[in-house]
Amino acid sequence: MPELMCCIVGLLLPAIVLSHDSSYRLPNALKPLHYDLRILTHLNAPQDLRFEGTVQIDLQVLHNTRDITLHAINLTIDEARITLSTRNGSRSHSVSRIERNETLEFYTMRLDGELQTHEQYVLGIPFSAALNANDVGYYSSSFRDPKTNQTHYLAATQFSPTFARLAFPCFDEPHLRATFQVTLGYHKNYTGMSNTPVSKCVDHGTLRDYVWCQHEPLLSTSTYLVAYAVHNLSSLPVVHSETHNNVSFRSWMPPDAVRDGSFTANFGPRALSYLEKLLKFVFPLRKVDQVALPSHKFSAMENWGLVTFKQTRFVHYDDELMQDKEDKSFTVAHEYGHQWFGNLVAISWWNDLWLKEGPSTYFGNLALDALMPEWGSLQRRVAEDLATFFCKDMYNDTIAISRDVQDSKSILGQFTPYAYEKGSLMMRMLHKWLGDEVFFMGIRNYLRRHAYDSVRQSDLWQAMQEAADLQGSGAAAGDIRLATVMDSWTLQKGYPLLNVIRNYSSSTVWIDQARFMLAADGGEPTCWWIPLTFVNQRQGNFDETQPQFWLECPSTGKTLRLRKDPAPNEWIMLNPQVNSIYRVNYDEPNWRMIIKTLNSADYGSIHALNRAQLLDDLLMLAATREQSYDLAFSMLEYLPREAEFLPWDRAVAMLNDRGQLLRGDQERIFRTFMKKLVTPLLLRTPQLNSAQLRAKSGSFAALYRLAYKEACRYDAADCISRVEGLTQDDANGSQVSADYRLIADCTSIELGNNVLFQAILKRFRASDSDAKKSAWATALGCSRDFGQLRPVLDYLIQATDKVTYNYYMQAVTSALERKHLATEIADHIMQHAKAINSKLSLKQIQILLNRIIGDLITELEDNQLRQQLRGLDKFEAQLQAALDRRDTNRYWLTNRAEHFIKALTKHT
Ligand SMILES: *[C@@H]1O[C@H](CO)[C@@H](O)[C@H](O)[C@H]1NC(C)=O
Ligand SMILES: *[C@@H]1O[C@H](CO)[C@@H](O)[C@H](O)[C@H]1NC(C)=O
Ligand SMILES: *[C@@H]1O[C@H](CO)[C@@H](O)[C@H](O)[C@H]1NC(C)=O
Ligand SMILES: *[C@@H]1O[C@H](CO)[C@@H](O)[C@H](O)[C@H]1NC(C)=O
Ligand SMILES: *[C@@H]1O[C@H](CO)[C@@H](O)[C@H](O)[C@H]1NC(C)=O
Ligand SMILES: *[C@@H]1O[C@H](CO)[C@@H](O)[C@H](O)[C@H]1NC(C)=O
Ligand SMILES: *[C@@H]1O[C@H](CO)[C@@H](O)[C@H](O)[C@H]1NC(C)=O
Ligand SMILES: *[C@@H]1O[C@H](CO)[C@@H](O)[C@H](O)[C@H]1NC(C)=O
Ligand SMILES: [Zn+2]
């Protein structure tokens, strides 16, 4: 997510209703020990893409049983050739009846006799299928070699989370780890690969020019991490990583990508060796293949030793946005984080998906920051995640990080930002509470203890608790049980608001907590175990993040005697570096003292993450009437002098979020205020074509982008003249990086530059570059002329290829953000709802609905909307949340907008 986008309500899949039906779990009579898998792949012609194979599974019998149930779906199984015998071949069984359950994705063999616990058995199943066309299971994809103009077909696997069962019959649950031996058959002209290196190849025997290549045995693993591929991709030279085993890296991609693939290709081995040293557990394999595939169900997949990426998420071209380079590097680091979190230590079940995604995201962020310090990405990424969840989790329609799931569809529905980014914030929270030493001791113990096994979240808490106890760490020592604390954060949704009322004569504070919600609350009262760390004005140290006190759960509030007696004329502040997810409302005198510091030369004494959060909290508290907008805008007065990106970014996002809702005079006043707010920032920003602007990276670049984007959005004269000046410079061959070029193009088009609109459209149609087309689609959406934009939107939504729909989404969201064409765009979406429903994702539709219904406050009646969207499942699934959001926003418009405008006017 490159841009901070406030207030997108949580993604909820309707399928979670089924979640308590445990019949989706395999019976526990059998345990697979080893799989011997042989797969013959045919890539002969576009109409003949298929595979056939056999699997031999060594089974341990845990309870005597007369049937074998495993996962298999959409496979043609040669039932007559199924074999089952004891390991030493002394006895065999035959299958008397076979049952398939397509709902459960089960394949059950009823046997003529009972399997005995003291025996080991070998089950052999022959099967075949077409290569999947949906990027799951064993799937086919293709690319064109621009030199020869030949189309090449390839086959690759995507087994996570529940798609291994589409490729071979297996016990497809993550805790059922087994060793694997993979042997691949294919035409000699292709390269075949799997998790481990090839050990030997022999001729196929019957098929001319085909070979069978056997791979080295793979360590005990979950089925979803097994991978193989047969392809004709080009490779970069082998890179040796500085890991204990000198793990060698090969990177594969279509030939035209090779020139630009090397940055990420080289970043992979660096990330792996950094993480190995940090986690102090040797990466156990000898090689890693990184494969950039033309199509991929997700962005990337962490298969042990064979990491796959969507090509557009791996290869970085020089003329793409800087943010993309950071995001791609992060994706790489995240996948290598998984080599420990998920691959080495598996999750027992998908309810705890966050237990692999959270740490991989957090350690991925740490690796990225350590390896590319000039990007300064850690703080920005943390701030972005905090902003996201402070926003998402204040609605009723949100979810807990860890939740029960059973069937495939709801398992897939677990892959949300809650598991990833909020999971990462949980790891950060632990890190900040426990301190470096205890945190890493706990993590390393956890990895050692559970290597090659599978875990629940309690296993992580246990390892952390032991490390804390050993160090006598105040954080989790005494009566505080880390498991109780952490469960209150991972098993329930939302986050708390703390009210802090000081007694200025006695150095005490009274604190209580309640869930923070934007709208009037619903549901039972909830509470959290909250670590309390105070900073006070004079001795303020924002690096000391370990708790001084705890707020228990349940609790009706408590009085605390503060350490280091803060003077009555000095502020106190909770939550240094915003290490925990909670908001704070202080009493007014304390707020005023904080505001005074912000408005002084000394504002930098407050940590940048806290400055951003203070703005966020106070603007939110004003929205919910807990504080006045007058107070909030007194705080905003300091902003024009703010030198850092984070507070700017957060404040502007919060203001825009409210500004979206305004109309008429109120909107005009708001725009004037925003223009005035951001103009000084732009004046401090170098010219568009200056070398200085191009040279800056990291947070500077982010701040400069924000300055241009917002100043142009609010028609600051200086921004417009700089953009217009660029046209002349272009004639002289000016160099402007993609990031600023996008802002400049958008502004020009918004100002009515029709020549540019047509030129970009022409380039858009001719280009193959996804990144460029995305940027251009966004720029085209800046037009104020619907007559001009409409044919483009029609063309994009009528396309037949998946990628093009994303451009529709980009053009439309760009237009909605600008509001000129809000009504026309909303109409376009409603008119094409059927096509959109089938072509865009649930998440994209959620964003569209929230915008056209929630932010732009549609005049349509609820019933009319329901009527129009009937039968369109994705729209229907998101409609109620969008309507609730609209109600919340209407409430604000009726009750708070006037105060907002009044305070804003007063502080202009
Ligand atoms: C199995 O194949 C059918 C028919 O092609 C398809 O509709 C279904 O989605 C497939 N199942 C899975 C789990 O992919
Ligand atoms: C096979 O193993 C079973 C027990 O594991 C044993 O009773 C039997 O004698 C063995 N048969 C052969 C042929 O080795
Ligand atoms: C599949 O299993 C489900 C849940 O146990 C059951 O309700 C359904 O009837 C089964 N379907 C078939 C075809 O057996
Ligand atoms: C390349 O092949 C495609 C069809 O496969 C064809 O449409 C196109 O014209 C060819 N391009 C060149 C330069 O030959
Ligand atoms: C395999 O490669 C050879 C030599 O490059 C080529 O002549 C042949 O046509 C290729 N075969 C296939 C099936 O692509
Ligand atoms: C794979 O690529 C090589 C060279 O790029 C070529 O010689 C070979 O024929 C290709 N094989 C297939 C099966 O396309
Ligand atoms: C890794 O490489 C280093 C230096 O090239 C060498 O000293 C070391 O023995 C190698 N380790 C392994 C496990 O091959
Ligand atoms: C909040 O959600 C719960 C169910 O999750 C529902 O019962 C309640 O009515 C909702 N409250 C509001 C205010 O929407
Ligand atoms: Zn992941």
Side-chain angles (χ1 to χ4, degrees):
M1 275 183 292
E3 305 253 315
L4 194 144
M5 195 159 217
C6 192
C7 304
I8 302 302
V9 186
L11 180 69
L12 279 178
L13 291 181
I16 59 174
V17 178
L18 290 170
S19 66
H20 287 281
D21 185 355
S22 60
S23 61
Y24 283 90
R25 299 298 297 271
L26 291 172
N28 56 10
L30 298 170
K31 181 173 155 36
L33 299 174
H34 177 77
Y35 292 79
D36 197 322
L37 187 59
R38 289 170 70 84
I39 304 283
L40 182 65
T41 305
H42 302 270
L43 294 170
N44 302 321
Q47 62 282 1
D48 189 22
L49 305 169
R50 63 192 164 86
F51 64 96
E52 61 214 33
T54 53
V55 62
Q56 304 272 347
I57 313 175
D58 293 0
L59 295 172
Q60 186 184 350
V61 183
L62 302 177
H63 306 291
N64 290 2
T65 177
R66 290 185 71 96
D67 37 58
I68 300 177
T69 296
L70 40 62
H71 288 109
I73 185 89
N74 287 3
L75 289 170
T76 304
I77 291 178
D78 187 349
E79 292 171 352
R81 287 173 50 224
I82 293 176
T83 58
L84 178 65
S85 61
T86 50
R87 185 86 199 258
N88 61 13
S90 62
R91 236 162 354 103
S92 63
H93 285 282
S94 59
V95 175
S96 53
R97 192 155 51 89
I98 283 169
E99 288 163 23
R100 288 169 185 261
N101 188 316
E102 310 258 314
T103 312
L104 304 177
E105 304 178 349
F106 280 180
Y107 186 84
T108 301
M109 291 155 273
R110 309 265 178 226
L111 307 176
D112 61 351
E114 195 168 57
L115 302 182
Q116 305 292 320
T117 48
H118 57 272
E119 290 273 17
Q120 269 188 29
Y121 294 85
V122 183
L123 170 68
I125 308 179
F127 56 90
S128 64
L131 285 164
N132 195 298
N134 303 321
D135 301 338
V136 293
Y138 194 26
Y139 70 94
S140 65
S141 184
S142 69
F143 63 94
R144 205 145 46 103
D145 185 339
K147 272 212 203 85
T148 60
N149 199 27
Q150 250 191 317
T151 299
H152 294 287
Y153 292 87
L154 59 82
T157 57
Q158 172 60 44
F159 288 170
S160 173
T162 58
F163 303 125
R165 63 193 67 168
L166 288 163
F168 65 97
C170 58
F171 295 81
D172 199 9
E173 294 188 1
H175 67 106
L176 293 172
R177 300 179 71 136
T179 53
F180 279 80
Q181 167 100 57
V182 174
T183 305
L184 299 177
Y186 44 87
H187 188 281
K188 271 178 186 165
N189 286 14
Y190 290 95
T191 303
M193 55 180 55
S194 183
N195 307 75
T196 54
V198 170
S199 53
K200 64 169 193 283
C201 293
V202 295
D203 280 340
H204 181 275
T206 38
L207 283 175
R208 215 166 70 102
D209 290 331
Y210 273 61
V211 285
W212 277 114
C213 291
Q214 189 180 70
H215 290 258
E216 291 175 7
L218 175 62
L219 295 163
S220 166
T221 193
S222 309
T223 41
Y224 79 89
L225 290 166
V226 173
Y228 38 88
V230 172
H231 60 75
N232 195 22
L233 295 165
S234 307
S235 66
L236 295 180
V238 174
V239 179
H240 288 276
S241 62
E242 287 169 21
T243 45
H244 182 270
N245 291 337
N246 297 340
V247 178
S248 64
F249 275 72
R250 285 185 304 177
S251 301
W252 304 85
M253 57 207 75
D256 55 330
V258 164
R259 203 171 53 88
D260 300 280
S262 60
F263 177 80
T264 351
N266 292 326
F267 188 72
R270 294 177 65 208
L272 189 78
S273 69
Y274 173 82
L275 289 165
E276 183 184 84
K277 288 180 183 76
L278 184 71
L279 300 169
K280 293 199 163 59
F281 195 107
V282 171
F283 177 73
L285 306 182
R286 288 202 291 129
K287 70 87 182 172
V288 173
D289 284 294
Q290 315 186 93
V291 189
L293 294 164
S295 62
H296 199 290
K297 170 97 176 155
F298 304 99
S299 293
M301 179 59 211
E302 70 262 20
N303 310 305
W304 235 354
L306 175 45
V307 184
T308 59
F309 295 86
K310 184 185 279 184
Q311 187 183 332
T312 51
R313 305 298 309 146
F314 188 80
V315 181
H316 185 77
Y317 299 90
D318 275 346
D319 55 0
E320 291 176 5
L321 306 185
M322 251 321 281
Q323 184 63 46
D324 285 341
K325 190 169 187 176
E326 183 184 310
D327 289 345
K328 285 169 198 172
S329 308
F330 165 73
T331 301
V332 171
H334 171 100
E335 300 314 323
Y336 291 110
H338 275 308
Q339 307 302 309
W340 288 268
F341 298 95
N343 301 15
L344 182 68
V345 176
I347 50 172
S348 288
W349 184 242
W350 299 104
N351 62 328
D352 280 336
L353 175 66
W354 85 269
L355 210 47
K356 76 183 184 73
E357 298 307 339
S360 300
T361 299
Y362 186 60
F363 288 106
N365 276 330
L366 294 187
L368 184 62
D369 200 50
L371 297 172
M372 303 303 291
E374 64 274 30
W375 291 351
S377 58
L378 182 60
Q379 237 182 46
R380 257 183 300 119
R381 299 184 78 85
V382 164
E384 195 177 296
D385 293 346
L386 285 169
T388 304
F389 291 100
F390 274 111
C391 186
K392 274 179 187 278
D393 276 358
M394 66 188 182
Y395 293 93
N396 194 27
D397 181 17
T398 182
I399 53 174
I401 295 175
S402 181
R403 54 175 183 164
D404 192 23
V405 286
Q406 300 293 340
D407 62 297
S408 299
K409 196 171 171 197
S410 51
I411 289 170
L412 198 56
Q414 278 287 74
F415 288 77
T416 67
Y418 291 89
Y420 287 71
E421 283 82 14
K422 199 171 177 194
S424 166
L425 291 175
M426 290 298 120
M427 296 306 289
R428 177 174 180 267
M429 208 148 100
L430 273 173
H431 190 173
K432 298 286 179 190
W433 295 353
L434 297 171
D436 266 348
E437 200 180 334
V438 172
F439 177 72
F440 282 109
M441 179 194 281
I443 287 289
R444 288 164 192 153
N445 286 346
Y446 165 80
L447 292 175
R448 271 197 300 276
R449 183 178 305 166
H450 301 290
Y452 306 107
D453 204 346
S454 62
V455 293
R456 304 160 195 284
Q457 67 174 25
S458 55
D459 294 308
L460 179 62
W461 309 153
Q462 179 66 22
M464 290 294 174
Q465 182 76 56
E466 285 171 25
D469 289 346
L470 204 66
Q471 293 291 305
S473 160
D479 296 337
I480 305 295
R481 299 323 286 169
L482 207 136
T484 316
V485 171
M486 290 307 296
D487 283 351
S488 79
W489 292 91
T490 55
L491 301 181
Q492 60 180 354
K493 60 186 187 174
Y495 63 81
L497 166 69
L498 272 59
N499 283 300
V500 173
I501 297 173
R502 288 175 70 177
N503 180 330
Y504 289 87
S505 52
S506 68
S507 284
T508 58
V509 293
W510 188 83
I511 299 192
D512 71 358
Q513 60 162 305
R515 184 174 171 202
F516 182 80
M517 305 255 289
L518 187 56
D521 90 357
E524 306 93 66
T526 47
C527 63
W528 286 260
W529 280 81
I530 305 171
L532 301 174
T533 314
F534 289 92
V535 181
N536 60 30
Q537 185 169 350
R538 205 165 0 121
Q539 293 116 328
N541 183 352
F542 284 83
D543 291 330
E544 283 172 16
T545 54
Q546 284 163 261
Q548 298 153 351
F549 308 96
W550 286 90
L551 194 55
E552 293 86 2
C553 172
S555 118
T556 47
K558 74 198 247 182
T559 301
L560 295 171
R561 162 147 224 101
L562 295 176
R563 297 175 192 173
K564 300 178 186 164
D565 291 338
N569 62 350
E570 291 176 344
W571 50 256
I572 58 167
M573 203 180 290
L574 268 171
N575 208 7
Q577 294 186 44
V578 198
N579 62 64
S580 314
I581 306 177
Y582 60 81
R583 292 189 190 280
V584 189
N585 190 8
Y586 302 99
D587 54 44
E588 192 176 329
N590 197 66
W591 275 120
R592 296 245 177 239
M593 289 186 275
I594 292 172
I595 290 171
K596 197 168 156 206
T597 298
L598 287 173
N599 277 308
S600 75
D602 213 19
Y603 73 84
S605 66
I606 299 171
H607 196 278
L609 279 166
N610 286 93
R611 301 206 294 279
Q613 193 61 39
L614 288 165
L615 290 158
D616 188 325
D617 283 352
L618 197 47
L619 280 164
M620 259 320 151
L621 291 167
T624 58
R625 295 167 184 264
E626 268 139 312
Q627 287 294 349
S628 68
Y629 268 119
D630 186 44
L631 194 66
F633 281 95
S634 316
M635 182 180 281
L636 275 166
E637 280 181 0
Y638 103 95
L639 199 61
R641 289 180 304 105
E642 172 62 72
E644 287 198 43
F645 170 70
L646 299 184
W648 267 110
D649 187 46
R650 194 79 70 91
V652 167
M654 299 291 291
L655 290 167
N656 284 343
D657 182 58
R658 295 296 99 183
Q660 283 286 352
L661 304 174
L662 302 172
R663 294 290 176 278
D665 274 354
Q666 289 187 332
E667 183 182 6
R668 211 174 27 72
I669 297 168
F670 173 76
R671 291 186 62 89
T672 309
F673 171 83
M674 290 303 287
K675 183 184 345 190
K676 191 155 176 234
L677 185 72
V678 296
T679 299
L681 180 62
L682 182 70
L683 294 176
R684 304 204 300 261
T685 304
Q687 295 290 330
L688 270 169
N689 59 350
S690 74
Q692 206 194 346
L693 193 66
R694 281 199 302 281
K696 288 285 189 191
S697 65
S699 297
F700 275 110
L703 183 62
Y704 293 164
R705 280 197 300 275
L706 181 134
Y708 271 101
K709 184 162 184 233
E710 300 301 326
C712 283
R713 180 204 299 227
Y714 291 107
D715 305 326
D718 217 75
C719 197
I720 291 171
S721 67
R722 288 187 192 196
V723 166
E724 283 171 343
L726 186 65
T727 320
Q728 265 125 49
D729 299 336
D730 272 346
N732 310 325
S734 74
Q735 286 186 304
V736 175
S737 73
D739 303 81
Y740 303 104
R741 173 64 69 184
L742 169 58
I743 298 166
D745 286 347
C746 170
T747 305
S748 268
I749 286 177
E750 191 172 6
L751 290 170
N753 187 339
N754 295 332
V755 177
L756 183 64
F757 186 97
Q758 296 306 335
I760 287 185
L761 183 57
K762 202 167 153 199
R763 274 179 252 155
F764 178 92
R765 285 178 189 264
S767 173
D768 274 338
S769 155
D770 178 58
K772 286 185 189 169
K773 293 184 87 158
S774 296
W776 286 330
T778 304
L780 294 173
C782 299
S783 172
R784 287 170 191 259
D785 177 353
F786 193 62
Q788 188 178 52
L789 186 56
R790 173 186 220 136
V792 181
L793 296 183
D794 289 346
Y795 156 72
L796 294 176
I797 199 62
Q798 280 155 16
T800 48
D801 61 310
K802 270 191 276 186
V803 255
T804 305
Y805 312 146
N806 293 336
Y807 307 137
Y808 175 82
M809 182 71 193
Q810 271 139 352
V812 154
T813 42
S814 170
L816 288 173
E817 202 175 309
R818 248 147 279 276
K819 294 208 293 191
H820 312 303
L821 301 176
T823 317
E824 292 86 343
I825 298 288
D827 283 349
H828 197 268
I829 291 170
M830 295 304 279
Q831 277 162 20
H832 295 79
K834 197 167 168 203
I836 292 173
N837 189 66
S838 68
K839 294 175 174 182
L840 296 189
S841 73
L842 192 63
K843 197 169 166 188
Q844 288 172 320
I845 288 174
Q846 178 185 41
I847 291 170
L848 292 183
L849 270 184
N850 277 336
R851 281 256 179 232
I852 63 174
I853 295 175
D855 292 349
L856 302 169
I857 315 279
T858 173
E859 297 309 319
L860 288 180
E861 291 299 324
D862 296 10
N863 284 339
Q864 227 173 325
L865 278 165
R866 281 185 213 287
Q867 188 68 36
Q868 283 192 25
L869 298 174
R870 178 151 307 155
L872 305 176
D873 58 333
K874 290 181 196 156
F875 277 97
E876 284 189 318
Q878 307 291 338
L879 183 58
Q880 191 55 48
L883 290 173
D884 287 350
R885 182 187 164 92
R886 179 204 56 189
D887 292 344
T888 308
N889 286 339
R890 271 187 181 160
Y891 181 86
W892 181 84
L893 276 174
T894 318
N895 295 286
R896 296 303 283 163
E898 212 179 301
H899 296 272
F900 178 82
I901 292 295
K902 214 163 130 195
L904 169 156
T905 313
K906 181 176 157 196
H907 292 273
T908 296

